[in-house]
Amino acid sequence: MRVKLFYFAKVREALGVDREEIDLVSSIETVADLVDFLKSRGSAWETTFSEISSIRMAVNQEIVEDGHAIKANDEVAFFPPITGG
């Protein structure tokens, strides 16, 4: 299953990449599964995604929780919480 990943703000800065397309194995069914996979990529990834509560996620431009299902051709974005004023 191929998905597009987008990283914004401090997530992008920590990882040194702003977007990528990856093929996922069939066992990755949710955003939480995807995060676990990303954490396995190395220390920067582990550190960045270790406090998932400080990262917001969106699938196809809709903010979701980590249990949200992902499917082929989805766009998944990771970004810090948004504040306004």
Side-chain angles (χ1 to χ4, degrees):
M1 159 172 69
R2 191 161 188 80
V3 296
K4 294 178 184 176
L5 305 179
F6 297 89
Y7 309 104
F8 295 97
K10 72 176 185 177
V11 178
R12 177 188 63 229
E13 293 167 11
L15 301 176
V17 63
D18 64 349
R19 69 182 69 194
E20 63 180 321
E21 287 189 42
I22 60 173
D23 290 312
L24 300 175
V25 296
S26 62
S27 62
I28 298 176
E29 298 177 344
T30 66
V31 175
D33 295 337
L34 174 59
V35 167
D36 287 342
F37 166 77
L38 294 173
K39 287 166 58 175
S40 74
R41 291 175 127 183
S43 62
W45 297 87
E46 174 70 31
T47 301
T48 301
F49 288 101
S50 65
E51 293 187 35
I52 196 63
S53 63
S54 67
I55 296 177
R56 298 294 179 253
M57 299 148 291
V59 175
N60 300 323
Q61 301 181 3
E62 178 183 330
I63 294 177
V64 299
E65 298 296 323
D66 62 355
H68 186 84
I70 54 176
K71 59 187 184 315
N73 301 312
D74 275 351
E75 293 181 351
V76 183
F78 298 96
F79 50 93
I82 299 169
T83 59

